[in-house]
Amino acid sequence: MKSIFLFSLASLLSLNLSSQTALILVKPQDSKTWGFIDLKDNFVIQPNLVKVGEFSASGLAPVYDKGYYFINTKGEKLATQVGTFKLKNFMGFGIRGFAGGLAPVLVKKKWGYMNTDGQLVIEAKYEKVSEFRGGYATAMAGGSWYISDASGNDTDIKVPNLKNVRDFVDGYAIFDTMDKKFGFLNTKGEVAIEAKFTSVGNFYDGLAWAKNEMKKAGYINTGGEWVIKPKYDATRNFDAKSGMARVKQVDNWLYVNKSGEELKVNTQKYSDFVNGLARGRQGEQFGFFDNTGTWVIKPQFEGARDFQNGYAAAKQNGLWGLIDSKGNWVIQPKYLAVRDVALVP
């Protein structure tokens, strides 16, 4: 019976993976527009999009062309309840679409949330909103902050001198107060970690970086206790797969694991670990190393992006393609730009 169960579970997992399609946003040579290809380098959506974001797990991608809208994996436009709306942008570029099955939309100067059927399921009544993560988002209306769930229920955040609340990550949202102190809220809107730090990062895999009054950074657990003492000048988030984070002492970058053990690598560029690997550079060539500092893909590219879903964009002879985790070309370098691989239903 146990063997049958394991076989069935393995079959189910295999079916789930095979039911997903990989789509990659690319810009062809001599082009100002973008399109989507599959892993066989076939165009699934022709390169006629001027401004477009990557596909989310919902199977929808945000597009701007004299107005905002969404397309599905066939390039078909999603019919929406509201005809005119705006979407979030990242640092002024990079359109943000669906996250957690909902997309923040700006309708007549107020923010609400749209579902994947194009319906405005949470009324546009907020001045500020975050993306939905783990079933929760943060929002501000009338100068007050709330925790919102996917059904549109709001929970008051009752924190004295509250200034701002950020997105939820791993069940915690960063908040800061008027006296420039930072702490964390849980999904009930309760203070999980008091605002006692001068700066903090989000929780990833149970740890978050934080700075003390001396502006030295270390890592805390979800109880607000120091796991790695604050002795660094700068810190980055932990990567769950490698168990490593990038840290800086004076002018030198290095890596640290969750036990506080440090790792120096023979690289001229220290990048964050993402999905188990970090980009590095020797001379003018980029490659990837693992959490032991071993180059698993030797420096050989003119440029590279981080690995996502088993693949990374890489540059050779002035053009971009796609490599697998062994450094083999999956898509030959022939594009002006290649973005991350997205998995869609």
Side-chain angles (χ1 to χ4, degrees):
M1 181 66 72
K2 183 177 181 180
S3 298
I4 295 174
F5 173 76
L6 291 175
F7 175 77
S8 299
L9 180 60
S11 300
L12 185 62
L13 290 173
S14 176
L15 179 64
N16 182 54
L17 290 174
S18 64
S19 66
Q20 291 185 309
T21 301
L23 293 180
I24 309 101
L25 184 60
V26 300
K27 180 185 285 188
Q29 296 184 56
D30 303 318
S31 175
K32 294 182 179 180
T33 54
W34 298 81
F36 289 91
I37 60 172
D38 59 22
L39 288 175
K40 293 182 180 179
D41 200 11
N42 297 317
F43 271 99
V44 177
I45 297 175
Q46 293 301 311
N48 54 16
L49 303 168
V50 176
K51 191 172 183 180
V52 56
E54 297 173 6
F55 273 96
S56 68
S58 65
L60 294 167
V63 179
Y64 179 80
D65 183 7
K66 299 178 182 179
Y68 291 91
Y69 60 94
F70 295 97
I71 57 172
N72 63 19
T73 55
K74 295 179 180 180
E76 300 166 335
K77 188 175 180 179
L78 176 70
T80 57
Q81 179 184 351
V82 288
T84 303
F85 58 88
K86 292 183 179 181
L87 298 173
K88 281 180 168 287
N89 286 271
F90 179 71
M91 303 294 286
F93 59 92
I95 315 172
R96 307 302 290 265
F98 283 90
L102 295 172
V105 293
L106 185 66
V107 182
K108 296 180 180 179
K109 298 183 180 181
K110 295 286 186 179
W111 288 95
Y113 291 90
M114 182 182 292
N115 68 9
T116 55
D117 292 324
Q119 299 298 306
L120 192 67
V121 290
I122 298 180
E123 180 187 352
K125 59 182 179 179
Y126 305 105
E127 286 94 51
K128 292 182 180 180
V129 293
S130 74
E131 294 181 336
F132 264 89
R133 295 182 182 178
Y136 295 93
T138 61
M140 186 185 76
S144 298
W145 283 93
Y146 302 91
I147 306 294
S148 295
D149 65 20
S151 297
N153 300 312
D154 291 337
T155 301
D156 292 348
I157 300 175
K158 296 179 180 178
V159 175
N161 300 316
L162 181 63
K163 181 180 179 180
N164 190 43
V165 185
R166 302 184 196 171
D167 298 18
F168 274 99
V169 178
D170 279 7
Y172 295 90
I174 296 170
F175 75 92
D176 60 285
T177 58
M178 295 297 183
D179 57 355
K180 300 180 180 179
K181 294 294 179 67
F182 292 80
F184 293 86
L185 299 172
N186 62 22
T187 57
K188 296 179 181 180
E190 302 166 338
V191 174
I193 299 175
E194 294 290 340
K196 57 183 178 180
F197 305 102
T198 57
S199 186
V200 294
N202 287 309
F203 274 99
Y204 286 94
D205 206 27
L207 295 181
W209 64 261
K211 285 189 176 183
N212 63 13
E213 294 287 350
M214 303 299 294
K215 300 298 177 67
K216 290 293 183 178
Y219 291 88
I220 60 173
N221 60 20
T222 55
E225 303 163 327
W226 293 108
V227 175
I228 298 175
K229 299 296 183 183
K231 62 176 182 177
Y232 299 108
D233 296 299
T235 45
R236 297 293 185 266
N237 299 321
F238 265 94
D239 169 51
K241 191 169 183 179
S242 67
M244 304 295 286
R246 183 161 60 107
V247 296
K248 188 177 185 181
Q249 283 184 315
V250 190
D251 294 324
N252 299 313
W253 287 97
L254 63 151
Y255 296 101
V256 64
N257 65 18
K258 289 187 173 184
S259 298
E261 299 168 333
E262 297 177 347
L263 172 70
K264 293 184 178 181
V265 182
N266 182 24
T267 179
Q268 292 168 299
K269 179 178 177 60
Y270 280 79
S271 299
D272 293 340
F273 273 89
V274 179
N275 288 318
L277 296 175
R279 282 179 293 122
R281 177 170 59 84
Q282 290 185 338
E284 298 300 320
Q285 301 294 301
F286 288 82
F288 294 85
F289 49 82
D290 63 17
N291 59 1
T292 68
T294 302
W295 290 91
V296 296
I297 299 176
K298 296 187 180 301
Q300 57 191 286
F301 306 110
E302 296 168 7
R305 289 171 62 89
D306 294 325
F307 270 88
Q308 294 288 345
N309 294 314
Y311 302 92
K315 186 179 183 182
Q316 193 173 72
N317 298 323
L319 295 172
W320 288 84
L322 195 73
I323 60 172
D324 63 19
S325 58
K326 294 183 179 180
N328 300 315
W329 290 106
V330 176
I331 305 293
Q332 292 296 317
K334 65 178 187 179
Y335 294 102
L336 283 180
V338 175
R339 295 293 182 253
D340 299 333
V341 170
L343 295 180
V344 298

